[in-house]
Amino acid sequence: MTSREEAAAAAAKSGVAIRELHEIGEFSQAFRLFDEIWRPDPGNAPVSVEMMIGFAHSGNYVAGAYEDDVLVGASVGFRAAGGALHSHVTGASIGRGIGYALKLHQRAWCLERGLERVTWTFDPLVRRNARFNLVKLGARPEEYLRDFYGVMADAINEGDSSDRLLAVWPLDEQPIGPRVEPAEGRPRVLAEDGGGPVVRAADADVVLVGTPRDVERLRGQDPAAARAWRAAMREVLGALMDSGGRVEGLTDHGDYVVTLTG
């Protein structure tokens, strides 16, 4: 099965049709969808209609997933150095496989244009995104980016620093399918205790860095605990990656599996 056929099969399974966007009305639909997902301040939209028009016109990736005539997912990316596409923003209805279908469409689009990988950023505290990126897609974080976007005024990130992981998804392999790493026998250097983070010392070649169960809910119910998680993740995972540690995967408990270098 070709990459285009795989993308079409994933779209059909999720009940959508995915296509590139070209008309102003389509870009406006994508803008409204992103606005509904992130609910940003007026001056803090993930991407403007004008930017999508410019990206699409200059040969970059702007695509939408439609259920009949209703846009239920969209993705915007631009070509980057070294034969890559940087996927700037992707949003979709949760729990229906639309996000996965969009990523496979994006993958096919890149392969048809000779691109070798897709990169994007995600919040290391959001466990469901980590699971989708590392387990479902097989992407791997390659850099810890501190406060990457500065202050973000939207309903999801309000009041939090914008630390991100840079995910890299190589396209020279078939999508690997779900791959969960074992946790047994590996020490946790960051763990959850009563909703908050606990940092522990460990002398091992492979360690686990835990994530909160639901940091987005925690931001609303216990902002101090959410801020503590941000500081702990930066202290632990940020330092490990700065010193050469590699994130190899995710456990079924939502721990990053990090291999240390001597």
Side-chain angles (χ1 to χ4, degrees):
M1 187 180 294
T2 67
S3 61
R4 181 61 66 175
E5 290 169 338
E6 289 174 335
K13 185 177 180 179
S14 64
V16 299
I18 300 176
R19 64 175 186 266
E20 290 183 66
L21 306 183
H22 299 287
E23 304 296 331
I24 291 179
E26 295 172 331
F27 300 132
S28 296
Q29 290 176 335
F31 182 87
R32 288 194 295 271
L33 176 69
F34 293 146
D35 188 72
E36 291 169 2
I37 293 171
W38 279 279
R39 302 187 301 281
D41 285 351
N44 195 50
V47 62
S48 68
V49 170
E50 292 81 5
M51 189 66 73
M52 284 186 273
I53 292 171
F55 281 161
H57 182 73
S58 56
N60 291 288
Y61 182 81
V62 185
Y66 282 88
E67 184 177 36
D68 297 325
D69 294 326
V70 179
L71 186 72
V72 292
S75 184
V76 178
F78 50 87
R79 296 175 188 247
L85 178 83
H86 184 74
S87 184
H88 175 62
V89 58
T90 299
S93 300
I94 296 175
R96 295 180 45 193
I98 298 170
Y100 182 64
L102 275 167
K103 295 308 289 186
L104 290 192
H105 182 273
Q106 190 178 76
R107 177 178 183 269
W109 186 94
C110 289
L111 287 171
E112 289 166 1
R113 289 157 179 79
L115 301 179
E116 299 175 355
R117 65 189 185 280
V118 180
T119 64
W120 62 89
T121 64
F122 71 97
D123 188 339
L125 293 178
V126 181
R127 185 183 292 182
R128 62 181 173 82
N129 285 353
R131 182 172 286 117
F132 177 77
N133 292 330
L134 277 67
V135 175
K136 184 77 171 178
L137 294 178
R140 289 292 175 265
E142 291 196 357
E143 189 176 359
Y144 192 99
L145 304 167
R146 291 164 176 80
D147 209 16
F148 186 60
Y149 295 109
V151 176
M152 299 181 68
D154 61 58
I156 294 176
N157 299 286
E158 184 70 40
D160 195 4
S161 298
S162 58
D163 287 21
R164 295 293 184 265
L165 288 174
L166 177 67
V168 178
W169 191 29
L171 303 181
D172 57 350
E173 304 170 356
Q174 292 294 317
I176 61 173
R179 185 176 68 190
V180 177
E181 297 292 331
E184 294 76 12
R186 295 169 170 176
R188 283 188 175 86
V189 293
L190 179 58
E192 185 173 29
D193 185 8
V198 176
V199 178
R200 300 167 177 162
D203 184 11
D205 294 331
V206 180
V207 298
L208 305 180
V209 179
T211 58
R213 189 180 308 274
D214 186 349
V215 72
E216 292 166 318
R217 176 190 58 79
L218 200 61
R219 286 182 187 131
Q221 297 182 359
D222 191 347
R227 288 192 296 271
W229 268 107
R230 176 67 70 204
M233 185 63 70
R234 182 182 293 186
E235 173 190 349
V236 177
L237 185 60
L240 290 174
M241 295 184 73
D242 286 348
S243 62
R246 299 189 310 275
V247 178
E248 305 287 0
L250 199 77
T251 73
D252 56 356
H253 296 294
D255 309 290
Y256 294 105
V257 180
V258 183
T259 300
L260 309 180
T261 57

